Every structure is written in structure tokens, then in C-alpha cells.
Amino acid sequence: MAADRGAYAWRFDSGRICLDLVATGPAGGTPRAREQLDGPGRLADWMTAARLVPPGTALSALDAGWLTRFRALRADVDRLMSAQLALADGRVDPTTAQPGRPGDGNALGRVNSLAAEAPPGARAVRGEGGALVRTLSAEPGCAGLLAIVARDAVDLLTDPVARAALRRCAGGACHRLYLDTSRGGRRRWCSGEVCGNRERVARHRRRTASAKEM
């Protein structure tokens, strides 16, 4: 699923908002990916598109400081997820690794600290046509919004089922993280429409080139 934003396209195929945040950085997508959170306005766009805040939410306090804090959380979540994959793949010995610190530095402590903050309160109100829509009880602050993402990361890492479904895209030019909720756990790509299609095209070209050489 993607939402167009100017020269970029937000993609939300990871299955968790914390992983969607990781995907906004150059290290969270393809090697040629650019920084997507390149200004406070872009952060506001992402928060709305990712449903961290409802459309139309006032964010008058959002500034460059918010951008710095969200990027820092993004880096810490990426470290924690990469460390979890290393444990799952056997690249880190769980009998010798310090609890929660297989190469993640102080990321776990920082994420836990952010998760301890109170998230913004939610309310259901009547929208157009009488349907109930979500709004916030007050204009959210940066700490409360960071808490939502940090709590999502904590929930993922402490839920054995979700944790076991954590994957990194098998596409040759991609390293996005996602949750594999497919039947049988056989999903290989972050997106079948993007990386899956790219891989199928590459295989077709290889077969065509091989046939011409025969």
C-alpha cells in the first residue's frame, strides 16, 4: 500500500508502524533510497499517512526538534530489529549475549524510556454522515507520539509470534523489514508488487539471455 507525497511514495507494507518508520530512512529501503523525513513538513505528512495521527490533527509545535527525535527513534528501532534477526538467524549466541543487547548498544533502554511516556488520548466523534471517526483529546506533543511508535516496537519484540514473523526483504536491492503473516510463513519480499515483481523481471531477463547464448 502506498500514498503519494510529491517526489516520494510512502509505502506501508511492513505490517507495523515501527517498521514503517524504519522504512523512511536511507538505511530502511533500497541502497539508492533517499531520506524521506527530510523536513518537519515531511514528518507531519508521514504521521498522517501512517495513521499515527488522524487527518487534520493540529501539530503547531512540530519543529526540527521533532524531526531529530523521530530519526533517533528510527535508528534505535532499526538496531533492535537487526539484533533480533541476528539472534533468530544464529549469528549471535543467545547463551553469551547480554539480555536485550546483542549488538544494539543502548537502543533498548532509549526505546523503553520513550515507551514509558503517555500516548495522546483518543476519542470517537461523529464525522460526516454520522460515522464515528477517531480524533485526539488534545493537540499531541512529540513525546506522546514517540511513545506510540516505541510501544509498538516493544510489543513486537516481546510477542513471540510477531517476533518470529520478523523478516528482511530477500530482494537483491532491498533491505526493508516486515512481518510475514502469510500462510506457511513463505513471504519473501516486503512487497510482491515492488520487490517481488522486480525479482520476477530479473529472472525472466536472465532466462532470456541464457536462451540467446545457447
Side-chain angles (χ1 to χ4, degrees):
M1 176 180 176
D4 291 333
R5 289 293 184 277
Y8 301 91
W10 301 121
R11 282 178 50 195
F12 303 112
D13 18 52
S14 75
R16 299 295 287 254
I17 194 169
C18 64
L19 302 183
D20 287 336
L21 177 61
V22 171
T24 64
T30 69
R32 295 180 297 279
R34 293 186 293 169
E35 171 64 67
Q36 295 187 54
L37 302 182
D38 55 7
R42 292 287 298 166
L43 175 59
D45 285 346
W46 177 82
M47 288 193 293
T48 302
R51 300 182 180 180
L52 184 60
V53 299
T57 299
L59 298 168
S60 59
L62 195 158
D63 58 13
W66 286 42
L67 189 64
T68 298
R69 295 176 71 183
F70 267 88
R71 285 179 175 178
L73 174 58
R74 182 179 68 187
D76 283 337
V77 172
D78 191 14
R79 290 188 188 98
L80 289 171
M81 299 304 164
S82 296
Q84 174 55 41
L85 286 173
L87 278 172
D89 293 344
R91 287 178 281 130
V92 174
D93 185 351
T95 64
T96 59
Q98 296 182 46
R101 295 190 58 187
D104 61 30
N106 293 319
L108 186 60
R110 290 190 294 267
V111 170
N112 281 335
S113 179
L114 292 175
E117 296 290 332
R123 300 174 59 210
V125 299
R126 295 291 177 186
E128 186 175 349
L132 288 171
V133 296
R134 181 174 70 101
T135 186
L136 301 181
S137 56
E139 182 174 341
C142 185
L145 296 176
L146 288 168
I148 295 175
V149 182
R151 288 182 179 202
D152 184 58
V154 170
D155 287 345
L156 191 162
L157 290 167
T158 57
D159 180 342
V161 175
R163 190 173 61 214
L166 182 64
R167 303 281 188 274
R168 194 178 294 281
C169 184
C174 184
H175 38 259
R176 281 175 176 258
L177 297 166
Y178 65 93
L179 289 191
D180 180 6
T181 57
S182 65
R183 181 177 297 180
R186 296 180 178 179
R187 180 178 166 187
R188 296 185 56 216
W189 303 295
C190 64
S191 169
E193 295 177 355
V194 180
C195 290
N197 186 61
R198 185 183 294 123
E199 187 70 18
R200 287 187 287 270
V201 169
R203 283 202 303 263
H204 174 72
R205 288 176 177 172
R206 288 193 295 269
R207 286 196 299 268
T208 301
S210 179
K212 288 181 179 179
E213 293 173 359
M214 295 179 63

